[in-house]
Amino acid sequence: MQIQILKSKIHRAVITEANLNYVGSLTLDEDLMDAANLIENEKIQVVNVNNGERLETYIIKGKRGSGIVCLNGPAARKGAEGDIVIVISYALMDFEEAKKFKPVIVFPKEGNKL
């Protein structure tokens, strides 16, 4: 049996931009991506703590060390600069493997720094 479990989480990052006139997705600082074991184009869920919005999209690699967390395209309607978000990625794995798996959880500091 295969189940979906938490793979990675960036807990309480701050949106730095919302760009409605972009193709779509979430741009993330490459340092945050590496720390959370996320890769470009990976499917993610973004949960906005300020307004309760939830959306699924994918990651675009942002400039390393920039602290960027930018909602792009239609996702820009789901949050505003300064909102706090949780970025979540899930993995599909065997039930027994999932029992032993430990997700990566990152708690960014001010400026979305590690």
Side-chain angles (χ1 to χ4, degrees), residues 2 4 7 10 19 39-40 48 50 55 58 75 82 87-88 90-91 103-104 110 112:
Q2 298 267 304
Q4 270 192 330
K7 176 186 133 314
I10 300 172
N19 184 352
I39 61 171
E40 191 164 36
N48 188 322
N50 292 73
L55 68 111
Y58 62 94
V87 180
I88 305 166
Y90 301 94
V104 177
E110 187 174 334
N112 295 324

Side-chain angles (χ1 to χ4, degrees), residues 67-80:
I68 191 168
V69 177
C70 179
L71 292 172
N72 297 303
R77 298 274 191 212
K78 302 289 187 178

Side-chain angles (χ1 to χ4, degrees), residues 14-16 28-29 32 63-69 111-113:
V14 177
I15 295 175
T16 59
L28 273 179
D29 179 328
L32 287 173
K63 182 178 176 187
R64 186 177 292 283
S66 66
I68 191 168
V69 177
N112 295 324
K113 304 297 182 186

Side-chain angles (χ1 to χ4, degrees), residues 21-35:
N21 296 312
Y22 194 78
V23 180
S25 69
L26 179 79
T27 303
L28 273 179
D29 179 328
E30 194 172 359
D31 284 343
L32 287 173
M33 290 173 58
D34 290 348

